[in-house]
C-alpha cells in the first residue's frame, strides 16, 4: 500500500497480530503500516489516464444522444413521469397519443388525476434535470441525465478501483471496461431508471471504501496517542475494546447514497443490507489488526450502532425526502388514502405516512406478483451468459437510409460478450483467491455481486429482465480487473514475466474494444443493412 504499482496489488492479509508486540509496534507509522492506512497519492501525471478514459466514456454516451427521435421502451413511462414531476411535483396520468406529442417536440398536458406508479420518484426527478437544462422539445431533454450519470459512474468506478488496487493501470482498465460495455452504454443513452440505481449504489460503496481507509487512519492515530514511550502498547484498558472513532462523515455520505438508491428502485434494499454488514466487518478486521484484544466486542459496541444509524437511519430519512413532491401534493396517487380509510393500515402513523405505507404495500404486491409473459423476459440464470438481452427499439427503413435493399435500426442492450463471459469466469477465480488469501477486496466484490444477483433466484416465476444485472455490473468488472491484475504480475516478478502479462492484458483490452466497435451500431440504433444487423445477432435467442 505504500507504493504505486502498475500491477496487481499485493495480497492484504487480515490475520491478527499476536497478543505480544515488539517495541515500537504502537507508533503512528507502525500502526498505519499494520492497518494498511498509509496514504498513497496519485503520481504527478496520474490523472491523465483516468481523464482520457472518462472523455471516451462521455463521447460514447453523448454523441448522437437524440437518436432515435422516438420514445423508446420504458421511456414511455419515465420520460413522461419526469415531465409531470417537474411541472406538478407528482406523477400524473397521460392521455392517449402523448408519446407522439413528445416526439413532435410539443408535449401535451397530462390529466388531472395522479398516476399509479410502482417505482419511487428519485430516478424520475433525476431525468427531469434534463428538462430543466434543455427543455422538452427533443430527446436530449429526457436522456441527458442518463448520459451524465452514466459517465459519472465511470469516474466513480475508477475512484473505487484506485482505492482498492492502488494501480493506475488497473484503474484505467476498470474504467475502460465499464465505459465500453454495451449494457452500461445503452442504459446511459436512454431515459430508464437502472443507470441511476447503479450510480447511487456504486457511490455508496465508494464512500464506504473511503471510510474504511479513513477509519483505519483515525484508529492508528488514536491508539498511537495512547501508546507508551517508544511505541510501547497502550494500557490494558485502552486495548480492551479500543477507542470510539467519532463521527464518520464518509459513512454518513454512504447512508445518503443508500437512501437515494432506494429512492430509485427498491431492489437497492439487498445492497444496503450487505453494505451495512461489510462496513462492520471491515471495522472488526481493523480492530483485530490493530491489536485490540476485544476486537469483535469492541466493533459491535463502538462501530455497529453508529453504522446502523448512518446506513439505515440516514438512508431512511433520505428516502423519505425523495417523496417530498408526493407529500406536498393533493392529487398524487393514494395521497389521502388514510383520510379515506379511517381505522385501516398502521394506525399509529401520521396520516401522510400511513397513506405512503399503503402505497408501498400495494406497489410491493405488484412487484412480487408480476408474472405476465414478456418477449424479452430473462431469468437470472441467463444474465451472466447474455442469454436474453432486451430489444429496446427496432425500425425497418427504406433502402436509401443505408444504401442496401433493406435497412434496419435496432437498440439491443447486450453487454460486451468478452467482458461478461470472462467476468463470470473471474468470479470462480475470486472465490479461490478469497479462500487462500482472505483478501478484503475480493470478499467485498463477491458479496456485492452475490447480493445483486442471487436474490432474484428466489422469485422464479416473476417476470425479470437482463438489465436488472446493471446494478452489480461495476463489481463484476472490479472482479475481472483484479484477475487481470494477477495476469500483469507484481513488481518483484521478472521482466519477462511482466512483459508477458502486459501482452496478454493488452490483447484482452484490444479485443474488448474491437467487439464493442462491432456492436456499436446495435447499441445506438444506427441504420445498417439488414444482413449486417442479422450478423450482429450471435445467438438465435436474441432475435
Amino acid at each position: 500500500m505504500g507504493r504505486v504499482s502498475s500491477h496487481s496489488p499485493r495480497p492484504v492479509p487480515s490475520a491478527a497480530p499476536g497478543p505480544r508486540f515488539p517495541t515500537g509496534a504502537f507508533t503512528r507509522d507502525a500502526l498505519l503500516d499494520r492497518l494498511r492506512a498509509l496514504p498513497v497519492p496519485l503520481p504527478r501525471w496520474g490523472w491523465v489516464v483516468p481523464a482520457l478514459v472518462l472523455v471516451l466514456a462521455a463521447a460514447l454516451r453523448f454523441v448522437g444522444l437524440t437518436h432515435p427521435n422516438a420514445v423508446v421502451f420504458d421511456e414511455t413511462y419515465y420520460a413522461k413521469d419526469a415531465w409531470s414531476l417537474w411541472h406538478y411535483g407528482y406523477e400524473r396520468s397521460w392521455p392517449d397519443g402523448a408519446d407522439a406529442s413528445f416526439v413532435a417536440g410539443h408535449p401535451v398536458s397530462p390529466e388531472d388525476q395522479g398516476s399509479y406508479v410502482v417505482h419511487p420518484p428519485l430516478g424520475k426527478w433525476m431525468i427531469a434535470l434534463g428538462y430543466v437544462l434543455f427543455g422538452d422539445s427533443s430527446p436530449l431533454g429526457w436522456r441527458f441525465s442518463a448520459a451524465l450519470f452514466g459517465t459519472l459512474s465511470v469516474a466513480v468506478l475508477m475512484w473505487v478501483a484506485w482505492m482498492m488496487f492502488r494501480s493506475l493501470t488497473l484503474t484505467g482498465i476498470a474504467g475502460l471496461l465499464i465505459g465500453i460495455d454495451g449494457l452500461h452504454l445503452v442504459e446511459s443513452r436512454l431515459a430508464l431508471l437502472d443507470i441511476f440505481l447503479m450510480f447511487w449504489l456504486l457511490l455508496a460503496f465508494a464512500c464506504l471504501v473511503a471510510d474504511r481507509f479513513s477509519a483505519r487512519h483515525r484508529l492508528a492515530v488514536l491508539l498511537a496517542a495512547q501508546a507508551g514511550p517508544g511505541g510501547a502498547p497502550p494500557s490494558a484498558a485502552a486495548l480492551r475494546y479500543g477507542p470510539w472513532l467519532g463521527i464518520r462523515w464518509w459513512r454518513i455520505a454512504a447512508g445518503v447514497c443508500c437512501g437515494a438508491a432506494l429512492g430509485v428502485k427498491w431492489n437497492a434494499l439487498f445492497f444496503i443490507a450487505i453494505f451495512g454488514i461489510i462496513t462492520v466487518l471491515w471495522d472488526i478486521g481493523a480492530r483485530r489488526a490493530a491489536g485490540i484484544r476485544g476486537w469483535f466486542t469492541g466493533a459491535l459496541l463502538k462501530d455497529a450502532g453508529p453504522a446502523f444509524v448512518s446506513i439505515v437511519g440516514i438512508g431512511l430519512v433520505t428516502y423519505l425526502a425523495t417523496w417530498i413532491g408526493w407529500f406536498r401534493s393533493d392529487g398524487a396517487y393514494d395521497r389521502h388514502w388514510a383520510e379515506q380509510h379511517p381505522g385501516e393500515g398502521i394506525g399509529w402513523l401520521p396520516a401522510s405516512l400511513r397513506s405512503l405505507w399503503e402505497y408501498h404495500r400495494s406497489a410491493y404486491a405488484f412487484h412480487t406478483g408480476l408474472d405476465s409473459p414478456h418477449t424479452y423476459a430473462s431469468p437470472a440464470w441467463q444474465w451472466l451468459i447474455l442469454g436474453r438481452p432486451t430489444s429496446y427499439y427496432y425500425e425497418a427503413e427504406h433502402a436509401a437510409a443505408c444504401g442496401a435493399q433493406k435497412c434496419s435500426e435496432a437498440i439491443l442492450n447486450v453487454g460486451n460478450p468478452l467482458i461478461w463471459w470472462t467476468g463470470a469466469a473471474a468470479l470462480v477465480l475470486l472465490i479461490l483467491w478469497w479462500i487462500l488469501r482472505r483478501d478484503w477486496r475480493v470478499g467485498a466484490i463477491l458479496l456485492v455481486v452475490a447480493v445483486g444477483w442471487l436474490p432474484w433466484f428466489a422469485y422464479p416465476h416473476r417476470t425479470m429482465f437482463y438489465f436488472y444485472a446493471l446494478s452489480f455490473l461495476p463489481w463484476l468488472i472490479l472482479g475481472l480487473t483484479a484477475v487481470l491484475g494477477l495476469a500483469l504480475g507484481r513488481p518483484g516478478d521478472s521482466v519477462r514475466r511482466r512483459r508477458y502479462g502486459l501482452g496478454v492484458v493488452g490483447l484482452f483490452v484490444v479485443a474488448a474494444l474491437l467487439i464493442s466497435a462491432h456492436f456499436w451500431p446495435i447499441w445506438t440504433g444506427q441504420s445498417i443493412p439488414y444482413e449486417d444487423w442479422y450478423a450482429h445477432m450471435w445467438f438465435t435467442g436474441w432475435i
Side-chain angles (χ1 to χ4, degrees):
M1 297 295 289
R3 59 180 295 181
V4 177
S5 169
S6 61
H7 309 285
S8 65
R10 60 177 177 173
V12 180
S14 59
R20 298 181 182 276
F21 297 94
T23 302
F26 283 87
T27 64
R28 177 175 173 142
D29 289 344
L31 283 164
L32 288 173
D33 182 63
R34 191 157 73 241
L35 291 170
R36 301 290 190 263
L38 288 169
V40 183
L42 277 172
R44 183 175 181 182
W45 297 101
W47 57 270
V48 173
V49 170
L52 291 175
V53 170
L54 195 60
V55 168
L56 174 63
L60 294 177
R61 283 150 182 77
F62 282 101
V63 172
L65 188 60
T66 58
H67 179 78
N69 185 24
V71 176
V72 175
F73 197 66
D74 282 350
E75 286 186 335
T76 187
Y77 305 115
Y78 307 134
K80 292 184 294 188
D81 285 345
W83 194 97
S84 60
L85 275 171
W86 175 245
H87 286 84
Y88 303 102
Y90 64 95
E91 298 94 334
R92 289 189 173 190
S93 299
W94 290 83
D96 294 338
D99 285 0
S101 72
F102 272 78
V103 173
H106 303 287
V108 298
S109 296
E111 299 170 353
D112 290 337
Q113 64 183 16
S115 175
Y116 177 60
V117 296
V118 293
H119 291 302
L122 182 59
K124 290 159 283 187
W125 277 114
M126 295 172 74
I127 292 172
L129 174 65
Y131 289 128
V132 176
L133 297 176
F134 300 103
D136 54 21
S137 60
S138 79
L140 179 63
W142 65 80
R143 293 178 186 158
F144 171 80
S145 291
L148 173 64
F149 286 94
T151 302
L152 290 176
S153 69
V154 176
V156 175
L157 183 64
M158 288 192 287
W159 177 30
V160 173
W162 169 253
M163 288 190 291
M164 295 181 77
F165 304 132
R166 301 302 193 189
S167 164
L168 283 176
T169 301
L170 297 185
T171 296
I173 288 174
L176 180 64
L177 292 182
I178 199 169
I180 64 173
D181 179 70
L183 177 60
H184 191 280
L185 180 64
V186 171
E187 297 291 326
S188 298
R189 292 176 60 90
L190 298 174
L192 307 174
L193 297 183
D194 291 86
I195 195 67
F196 305 115
L197 169 66
M198 184 274 299
F199 170 81
W200 288 115
L201 290 174
L202 181 58
L203 187 57
F205 183 78
C207 291
L208 289 178
V209 176
D211 172 74
R212 183 185 187 276
F213 289 106
S214 174
R216 285 179 166 238
H217 188 278
R218 188 177 303 177
L219 179 61
V221 171
L222 292 175
L223 282 178
Q226 297 175 337
S235 65
L239 286 181
R240 185 177 183 185
Y241 299 124
W244 180 60
L245 300 183
I247 298 175
R248 294 165 62 169
W249 297 106
W250 279 118
R251 198 152 65 180
I252 290 173
V256 173
C257 293
C258 286
L262 191 63
V264 177
K265 275 192 169 184
W266 286 351
N267 51 302
L269 277 171
F270 297 118
F271 291 86
I272 294 171
I274 205 63
F275 287 170
I277 293 172
I278 285 174
T279 189
V280 174
L281 288 176
W282 287 345
D283 288 337
I284 292 173
R287 290 179 182 270
R288 185 183 183 190
I292 295 168
R293 291 180 173 82
W295 42 269
F296 184 80
T297 305
L300 292 183
L301 291 175
K302 300 191 176 185
D303 299 320
F308 182 85
V309 172
S310 296
I311 302 297
V312 177
I314 292 176
L316 178 60
V317 172
T318 302
Y319 175 74
L320 291 175
T322 68
W323 287 85
I324 189 169
W326 185 91
F327 282 118
R328 297 183 62 183
S329 71
D330 285 323
Y333 189 87
D334 263 356
R335 176 62 185 86
H336 295 290
W337 181 89
E339 291 91 329
Q340 297 163 1
H341 298 80
E344 298 183 34
I346 302 179
W348 56 270
L349 285 175
S352 58
L353 290 178
R354 190 153 58 96
S355 297
L356 186 62
W357 179 265
E358 171 59 24
Y359 194 166
H360 281 56
R361 186 206 60 77
S362 173
Y364 177 78
F366 171 86
H367 284 299
T368 55
L370 183 63
D371 58 2
S372 56
H374 193 284
T375 304
Y376 292 100
S378 176
W381 68 266
Q382 293 183 344
W383 297 350
L384 294 184
I385 62 172
L386 311 182
R388 189 63 171 170
T390 313
S391 177
Y392 285 155
Y393 174 79
Y394 180 82
E395 186 72 27
E397 296 186 328
H398 55 79
C402 68
Q405 286 187 337
K406 185 178 181 181
C407 302
S408 298
E409 288 186 5
I411 297 179
L412 185 73
N413 73 344
V414 60
N416 184 307
L418 181 62
I419 294 174
W420 280 81
W421 294 342
T422 56
L427 294 177
V428 179
L429 295 177
L430 291 179
I431 293 173
L432 296 175
W433 185 347
W434 186 83
I435 292 173
L436 294 173
R437 298 289 188 177
R438 295 293 196 274
D439 192 311
W440 68 271
R441 298 160 300 183
V442 174
I445 291 168
L446 288 173
L447 281 174
V448 178
V449 171
V451 83
W453 183 37
L454 296 182
W456 293 103
F457 287 87
Y459 306 94
H461 302 295
R462 189 191 188 280
T463 306
M464 304 176 200
F465 298 93
Y466 163 62
F467 56 80
Y468 293 177
L470 181 66
S471 60
F472 64 82
L473 174 60
W475 290 271
L476 185 71
I477 287 179
L478 284 172
L480 175 58
T481 301
V483 172
L484 291 174
L486 290 179
L488 282 171
R490 298 175 185 167
D493 293 337
S494 66
V495 174
R496 181 178 180 182
R497 163 68 179 84
R498 295 170 66 186
R499 286 178 177 174
Y500 176 78
L502 184 61
V504 170
V505 174
L507 287 175
F508 178 89
V509 172
V510 170
L513 286 167
L514 292 176
I515 292 173
S516 291
H518 174 77
F519 279 100
W520 173 257
I522 62 168
W523 288 341
T524 57
Q526 303 300 307
S527 181
I528 57 177
Y530 176 78
E531 293 77 10
D532 292 347
W533 170 83
Y534 195 86
H536 286 83
M537 308 296 115
W538 290 7
F539 304 127
T540 56
W542 295 2
I543 301 174

